[in-house]
Amino acid sequence: MTAELVRGQNHTLPRTRLEIRVSAGSPVVAGATLGDEHGTVQGAEWIAHPGSPQLPGLEVSRQAAADHRLAVDLDALPETVHRVTVLLALPTGAGRPDRFGAVAAPFVAVTGLDGTEIVTFTLTGLDTESAVAALELYRRQGAWKVRAVGQGYATGLAGMLADQGIDRAAECAASIHEAVAAGSARSVTPPPPRTPDGERVRHPAGPSAPPTDGGQPAAPAPGALGDSGAAAGSTASGAAGPGATAQGSPAPGSTAGGPIDYAHPRRQTSAPPPPPTAPPAAPGEPARPVAGDATGWSMDERLYNQIWGMFEDLARAVAAYRSAVDFADSRMEQEIDRALGDPRNRIGGAGDRAREEARAKREELVARAREALDRDLAQLAAESAVVEPALPAAYAGWDNPVWHGYRVPMEIPMALRVGDLHLPERTDLRIPLLVRLPLERGIWIDSGRAASEAAAEADGDALRRSAVETAVALAARLLAVYPAHEFSVHVIDPAGSAAGPLAPLTASGVLAAPPASGAGGVAAVLAQLTRRVDLVQMAVRAGAADSLPPDLDMGEQLLIVNDFPHGFDDRAATQLRYLADEGPSVGVHLVMVADREDARAYGPVLDPLWRSLLRVTPVADDHLADPWVGHAWTYEPSRAPEGSRVLEQVLALVAAARRTGRR
């Protein structure tokens, strides 16, 4: 039976291999410290955090997230460790909450490897604190117990570490936050907060059941579950908040000085229409999947929410399987240890029989877990087979027939497909990686051979060409999904080395200007876009948008930079950092094709630039993490099929629409 603890209460731990699950209303940093019998942490090397996630007997998450799983093996801890303190902290950065009082109360559960909850604790009563010691596992007379602590620190992570005896706590805290910021480049940002009910709406015939883009939301991505072991068919996902409200000016018709109407002035207040209904399944057959089986005001929004629901379902189904395998391994080891601990079993064949029995039980547990996983994967594969053909151009792969009927759109879609993701448990089940539009962070296409094993095996020149082709495909997709004249693309190619792969853009005439080369070309393009950012920011702050120069292009702008930092001096590099940081908020976006090793001479000066961008690769690589359980997903870029002319045909239609002045 689960014990619900309150602050200061303790409980005996019945086992030594545990998971500590954290669920918070917004991304938090989760870590742990190892202390002696007095609770003192002897040094920074005894802190497990995203930059150093593993210690003997302890492993924590590698990034800030709304949900965490910390693995603890108390038997594997060093003998000098008597206390494990689980800490939570709010990540630093612009736009993030700076106190726990501004977010939902974090929930912490200590579970066995099979997911069975032992104790739970909700950290209520926090206000100005930005760091908190949530739980502590402590050794008392040879037995381990857990205590609900809930001690918050308004002085943040530095204050909490100093309280545990860490020398130079401020520097240690800064290094942890630096590691968290570095991890943001590999994290897929989740969609906006889920709907109030948090459910992935299903049609009546089926069972009830339930990517950034933008900054981390104020709530976990759609449908976070308390039980990660739930089948994919019973997980949850939410919509992108059609019913959300925004604080603002009184709605038209309201009385001045009266109550403020918090409803969005241009949004309906009724619930979104129900999703499509599939024909009822035959008795004994699973429910038939249907495209658009999620909440939303339009089919595009329903499909967007459905894809993110599938993404989460797959992440949690695989997490349940992997947790079950870990439990089976742990149980086998414990049974073998107990059997061999009896001297009578060391003589004759009793020990061998005990090993075989333990292994047989392990195989049975793993087989059952795999059976459940295969059932969930089959359901998701069937759903994917229905959803993929129904996707609009913005969400579809280049091999989708929807591109053959392409027409320049009249409005901007809500998201864009930038690639596919999959896990090793079933590599043919691909989840589209969708990012919200307008883009809220730039993209870095890593052309370095040290980026992954696949990149290391590739020819250097071929890899760089593939990286530019990936950037071209992304730019073509952005041009295709925006209305004519509302999106412009600029290219910086300092040495002119990418003329071949850039041909689809240059030949079609969709670029704002020919690719800039040489130091003068680099400076001119950067000056033009920096001026645009400065002017729009000043106009917005002053509330004088009508005072902008008439020659200023107010459409969205994309800058593709090839082979950075070649051709960039210190001033140009600083301007590029400025565009990466300030540009997205005023419609200037960045795609960089670069090998970080080429920029190593800049040292840590460019670290904020790399961290601000979503890193993708031109070849398959398992470097992206989901926002729910942190699996390493293999990313594959969205490229046109070999020999296909679809990209050139789409760009030709975009260029024709621009020439005819269609808006």
Side-chain angles (χ1 to χ4, degrees):
M1 183 176 179
T2 304
E4 297 182 8
L5 303 184
V6 297
R7 188 175 280 107
Q9 193 174 7
N10 59 35
H11 190 276
T12 301
L13 292 171
R15 60 192 75 176
T16 57
R17 295 194 69 178
L18 308 164
E19 274 192 351
I20 299 174
R21 301 181 181 183
V22 178
S23 180
S26 66
V28 297
V29 181
T33 59
L34 303 182
D36 58 20
E37 62 272 18
H38 304 296
T40 302
V41 181
Q42 296 301 318
E45 65 274 13
W46 292 108
I47 306 173
H49 59 83
S52 177
Q54 292 182 324
L55 291 177
L58 180 64
E59 183 173 3
V60 303
S61 302
R62 289 168 169 76
Q63 64 188 57
D67 294 286
H68 293 272
R69 290 187 178 193
L70 285 63
V72 181
D73 185 350
L74 298 174
D75 290 335
L77 294 173
E79 288 294 329
T80 56
V81 173
H82 289 258
R83 188 176 302 178
V84 180
T85 303
V86 178
L87 57 90
L88 305 177
L90 293 172
T92 57
R96 296 183 181 273
D98 58 359
R99 60 189 185 92
F100 275 105
V103 301
F107 172 82
V108 184
V110 179
T111 76
L113 296 185
D114 58 353
T116 303
E117 289 185 346
I118 301 170
V119 302
T120 63
F121 175 42
T122 302
L123 286 78
T124 58
L126 298 175
D127 187 11
T128 60
E129 300 89 345
S130 59
V132 59
L135 294 174
E136 65 179 18
L137 314 180
Y138 62 98
R139 197 196 314 248
R140 180 67 53 83
Q141 297 178 348
W144 284 93
K145 295 185 177 183
V146 57
R147 177 184 292 118
V149 181
Q151 174 64 53
Y153 293 82
T155 51
L157 190 56
M160 179 166 57
L161 295 179
D163 195 39
Q164 296 189 31
I166 296 291
D167 293 331
R168 305 172 74 176
E171 293 181 17
C172 183
S175 68
I176 293 175
H177 284 303
E178 183 80 5
V180 172
S184 65
R186 64 178 292 270
S187 175
V188 177
T189 49
R194 60 189 178 189
T195 50
D197 58 6
E199 293 296 323
R200 183 178 178 187
V201 177
R202 291 284 188 182
H203 47 77
S208 176
T212 269
D213 190 31
Q216 297 283 6
L225 296 180
D227 180 10
S228 65
S234 61
T235 51
S237 159
T245 57
Q247 184 172 349
S249 303
S254 62
T255 305
I260 296 175
D261 182 358
Y262 289 94
H264 193 293
R266 291 175 296 177
R267 180 173 292 156
Q268 301 180 50
T269 56
S270 59
T277 301
E285 293 184 2
R288 299 174 186 174
V290 60
D293 191 8
T295 56
W297 290 95
S298 66
M299 190 61 174
D300 286 3
E301 186 175 1
R302 291 174 181 171
L303 287 167
Y304 172 83
N305 291 328
Q306 185 173 16
I307 288 171
W308 271 92
M310 293 165 59
F311 187 10
E312 182 180 5
D313 287 355
L314 181 55
R316 294 191 182 279
V318 170
Y321 167 72
R322 294 179 181 178
S323 180
V325 172
D326 288 343
F327 171 72
D329 291 339
S330 173
R331 177 173 172 176
M332 179 184 69
E333 293 171 4
Q334 292 175 1
E335 290 181 351
I336 292 176
D337 289 344
R338 282 197 299 269
L340 298 183
D342 187 345
R344 294 171 296 180
N345 291 335
R346 301 174 190 169
I347 302 174
D352 293 336
R353 287 194 298 273
R355 288 191 187 92
E356 292 302 321
E357 290 175 0
R359 292 191 182 107
K361 290 180 181 177
R362 187 259 180 200
E363 294 303 321
E364 180 184 1
L365 289 173
V366 171
R368 284 161 51 190
R370 184 71 208 197
E371 181 182 357
L373 176 64
D374 288 342
R375 184 170 58 250
D376 296 339
L377 294 179
Q379 179 178 343
L380 284 168
E383 189 172 8
S384 177
V386 172
V387 169
E388 278 285 354
L391 295 178
Y395 303 173
W398 285 110
D399 57 350
N400 193 308
V402 71
W403 287 106
H404 297 294
Y406 168 77
R407 294 292 182 271
V408 177
M410 300 298 292
E411 60 182 20
I412 302 171
M414 69 182 299
L416 184 83
R417 185 175 189 156
V418 297
D420 295 333
L421 300 171
H422 68 266
L423 290 172
E425 280 74 9
R426 182 160 177 175
T427 57
D428 64 328
L429 179 53
R430 307 298 176 93
I431 302 295
L433 175 56
L434 302 181
V435 296
R436 291 296 295 265
L437 293 179
L439 297 174
E440 295 188 10
R441 65 190 296 194
I443 295 176
W444 162 32
I445 302 173
D446 192 346
S447 60
R449 296 187 64 193
S452 65
E453 293 182 6
E457 296 173 359
D459 175 73
D461 292 338
L463 187 65
R464 285 189 288 272
R465 180 183 181 90
S466 181
V468 178
E469 290 174 347
T470 301
V472 169
L474 177 60
R477 184 178 288 269
L478 283 163
L479 285 164
V481 303
Y482 271 79
H485 303 286
E486 292 191 18
F487 197 88
S488 299
V489 177
H490 309 261
V491 176
I492 290 178
D493 185 20
S497 59
L502 286 172
L505 295 177
T506 55
S508 61
V510 295
L511 292 179
S517 60
V522 171
V525 173
L526 292 177
Q528 175 188 348
L529 294 178
T530 301
R531 171 179 176 267
R532 184 193 182 282
V533 171
D534 289 339
L535 290 175
V536 174
Q537 282 188 336
M538 287 189 291
V540 170
R541 290 167 184 162
D546 55 350
S547 64
L548 288 169
D551 63 333
L552 194 68
D553 182 2
M554 291 306 298
E556 300 280 314
Q557 310 287 313
L558 176 70
L559 172 61
I560 299 176
V561 177
N562 179 50
D563 216 13
F564 176 83
H566 298 296
F568 281 73
D569 55 20
D570 290 346
R571 184 172 187 273
T574 301
Q575 287 178 311
L576 194 67
R577 279 187 54 185
Y578 175 73
L579 292 177
D581 292 339
E582 303 295 334
S585 63
V586 291
V588 177
H589 313 287
L590 176 64
V591 170
M592 276 183 50
V593 179
D595 178 358
R596 189 169 182 174
E597 284 299 307
D598 292 342
R600 63 183 180 275
Y602 283 91
V605 173
L606 290 180
D607 284 352
L609 173 63
W610 305 115
R611 289 197 301 266
S612 68
L613 306 173
L614 173 65
R615 174 179 171 263
V616 298
T617 52
V619 294
D621 183 42
D622 59 347
H623 68 281
L624 289 178
D626 66 78
W628 302 286
V629 294
H631 292 316
W633 293 72
T634 297
Y635 166 84
E636 292 189 13
S638 181
R639 304 267 291 277
E642 190 71 27
S644 171
R645 300 285 300 172
V646 62
L647 192 145
E648 289 81 358
Q649 292 167 2
V650 168
L651 288 176
L653 291 172
V654 172
R658 293 186 172 205
R659 286 194 298 269
T660 58
R662 178 180 173 183
R663 292 184 178 271

